Amino acid sequence: MISKGLKALVGVSALLLAASVAACGNDDPGPAGSGTAGVDDGAALTLWTRAATESVSKAYAEAYNASHKNKVTVTSYPNEEYPAKLASAAGAKALPDLFGSDVVFAAQYASQGLWADLTERFTASGLKDKVSPGHVTAGTWEGKNYAVPHTVDMSVMLYNKDLYKQAGLDPEKPPTTMKEFADHARAIDKLGGDVNGTYFGGNCGGCVEFTFWPSVWAAGGDVLDAKGQNAKINSKEMSDVFALYRALYDEGVAAPASKDEAGPTWLGALQSGKIGIAPGPSVWLGLIEEKGVKMGVAPITGLSGGASTFIGGDSIGIGATSTKAAQAWDFLKWTMSDEAQVEVIAKNKGVPIRTDLASNKYSSADPRIVTINSLVAKGKTPYAKNFNASFNDPQSPWLQTVRGALFGDAAKALADGNTAITKSLQQS
């Protein structure tokens, strides 16, 4: 869980921000900030993002800067350091004009007052009902909107078409159940040498939730209750998923490095061309193929069928201490426009945040992208105020549960983990 020091800092930050926003008049910073329209008057805007989203944030900024007077400068920080960096900036009343967040942390930041209220501007834009609903919900606190979608990333099954052929599998027929996934991985692993059937992040809570939870959802199970207050991980659906991956590891089908994979080398393992099939972020498709590896894409399924995905990515809002809210909103509104979503995101094989642009001139040219975009309607974005402390923090009870379920006493790990995670979720 988050350290006591960081918790205290975040708490103090929220109190300071309440006074700071009132003093700065954030939602109406002078003549340029009146009304709900954006202002493009040559302002210099700062944008912070975590490393995972740096490339997309910079692509947005580069395109915006080329066609606007305002100029956005992007600064990224390592994923694991980012929450503490934001908390420190909030305590010093020095948040950037704009900052992004992993979508699952959006409710936490909104509740702490780190973002300015965007409700009127977002509603007036006419875009609220056209963007990723999971992101909108995540950025809502007590009926007000504090963040808009920035990037959409979904978990999918990625498979190496060349290894499929070598193993005698049809590269145009990916698995339709997790049982088939395991069979395909075993067949590829028999090729021997430095080839492995599959790979997963066994020491990475975020990696596991992103790639294992869709199998739980596809099987009709769940992980949290609707309010994000109670864990539901001690279930047959969750147990079955862990048992499948555990068996693949014990059999040597999953690469040995899976046990200690904490995230940093996860992509590299798939880029090597030596992994047969593995779940991972949809945005990796292009990154893997840049290395000359021919990839196929399929939905993540349940043990016996179905399909789902973890709708992740980032949300973004205006820093609560910014005095350039109208100019910052001009950038945010533009990122949600047809131009940005088609020419910046879709053109580069990304998933548009706009649900009405899932089918566009770029996605229609690649059936794999159509497959990815179509999963938006079948996936989920978890909602919980204390998500980071409960699931993504290296000291979270979720990571301890993952380690036990994959490499220890699985039944005990899931039972104890359910209790510990619920306690963490309910902390004020």
Side-chain angles (χ1 to χ4, degrees), residues 198-203 249 254-262 403 406-407:
T198 192
Y199 195 87
F200 58 84
N203 195 30
Y249 179 79
S258 298
K259 183 174 184 179
D260 296 316
E261 178 58 71
R403 298 292 290 175
L406 286 171
F407 312 111

Side-chain angles (χ1 to χ4, degrees), residues 39-44 64-72 330:
V39 171
D40 183 23
D41 61 359
Y64 177 82
N65 292 348
S67 57
H68 293 74
K69 295 177 182 178
N70 293 340
K71 303 302 175 188
V72 178
D330 190 72

Side-chain angles (χ1 to χ4, degrees), residues 405-416:
L406 286 171
F407 312 111
D409 185 334
K412 184 176 187 301
L414 290 173
D416 291 350

Side-chain angles (χ1 to χ4, degrees), residues 116-257:
D117 184 356
L118 300 179
T119 307
E120 290 187 14
R121 288 187 166 105
F122 198 16
T123 300
S125 72
L127 295 166
K128 190 173 179 178
D129 295 328
K130 296 181 179 180
V131 297
S132 170
H135 284 62
V136 174
T137 298
T140 301
W141 185 255
E142 295 183 343
K144 295 183 178 181
N145 303 116
Y146 291 91
V148 300
H150 189 52
T151 66
V152 173
D153 187 17
M154 295 182 293
S155 47
V156 295
M157 196 64 77
L158 299 163
Y159 63 96
N160 186 311
K161 288 192 170 185
D162 287 337
L163 292 181
Y164 256 61
K165 289 180 181 179
Q166 293 175 33
L169 300 169
D170 187 341
E172 303 308 319
K173 291 184 178 180
T176 57
T177 69
M178 286 302 289
K179 291 179 180 178
E180 285 186 1
F181 153 76
D183 290 341
H184 289 190
R186 291 182 176 110
I188 293 169
D189 193 66
K190 289 179 181 179
L191 293 173
D194 55 358
V195 170
N196 284 104
T198 192
Y199 195 87
F200 58 84
N203 195 30
C204 171
C207 305
V208 171
E209 70 201 31
F210 194 62
T211 55
F212 287 24
W213 289 8
S215 290
V216 174
W217 295 330
D222 219 328
V223 180
L224 296 168
D225 66 6
K227 294 184 178 180
Q229 292 287 302
N230 295 281
K232 302 177 71 174
I233 66 166
N234 191 21
S235 66
K236 182 179 185 304
E237 293 86 0
M238 183 69 80
S239 178
D240 287 345
V241 174
F242 273 117
L244 183 145
Y245 280 98
R246 179 173 183 148
L248 293 176
Y249 179 79
D250 289 345
E251 294 169 21
V253 175

Side-chain angles (χ1 to χ4, degrees), residues 13-26:
S13 298
L15 293 175
L16 288 171
L17 282 166
S20 177
V21 172
C24 294
N26 177 271

